[in-house]
Amino acid sequence: CFSCGQPLPADFSTTKPAGPINAYPLTGGMPAAPVPPANPYASVAHAAIISHPMGELSVTVGAEVRVGRDPQQCALTLAEPRISGVHATFKFDGDKLWVRDEASNNGVYVSLARIPASVWTPVPVGAQLRVGPIEMSVRLA
């Protein structure tokens, strides 16, 4: 063998290997490149940051955060009469922020479109987000 120095059988060109060969064939070119495994050091978002007129709210993986007028039920309390007691719920899952309208009177809007009540809807980064009359923006962290 030109690589390791071991002697090759005399009929090497006609001998079939006992198992799989982990080398490129001598003819026919190189095989297609295998798909590399996921990079464990790649930048992955762990939270969504929602900016609103009163500050910022962080929504981390696995947490559901309620938004509304009722401070007993909502992590983000908005003192605005057009906001329902529990207006919307946010969650961060799969590198995306999701929002659900909790059957509010004045709705939740993603990219100017009102979302249906009780349905988790993804919020793209950079999309316009509105909870009732309150405009918010989203970024990943």
Side-chain angles (χ1 to χ4, degrees):
C1 170
F2 68 90
S3 182
C4 68
Q6 292 292 320
L8 297 174
D11 61 346
F12 177 72
S13 62
T14 60
T15 303
K16 293 195 177 200
I21 295 178
N22 293 326
Y24 297 118
L26 297 176
T27 60
M30 292 176 41
V35 176
N39 182 352
Y41 303 103
S43 176
V44 176
H46 298 287
I49 307 298
I50 302 169
S51 299
H52 52 88
M54 285 63 70
E56 290 186 338
L57 172 69
S58 178
V59 181
T60 57
V61 174
E64 289 190 8
V65 179
R66 291 181 176 171
V67 176
R69 265 194 352 260
D70 186 349
Q72 300 298 317
Q73 298 184 62
C74 300
L76 174 57
T77 304
L78 300 171
E80 155 65 53
R82 294 171 285 180
I83 298 290
S84 298
V86 177
H87 198 98
T89 303
F90 293 112
K91 73 177 178 178
F92 184 72
D93 186 38
D95 286 347
K96 283 186 186 165
L97 178 69
W98 297 78
V99 63
R100 179 177 65 201
D101 184 338
E102 300 295 347
S104 66
N105 289 330
N106 292 304
V108 175
Y109 296 81
V110 175
S111 299
L112 303 175
R114 187 170 181 165
I115 66 170
S118 304
V119 175
W120 285 109
T121 304
V123 180
V125 173
Q128 185 181 25
L129 173 64
R130 202 173 83 213
V131 175
I134 309 292
E135 290 192 25
M136 302 178 175
S137 64
V138 178
R139 74 180 193 279
L140 300 182

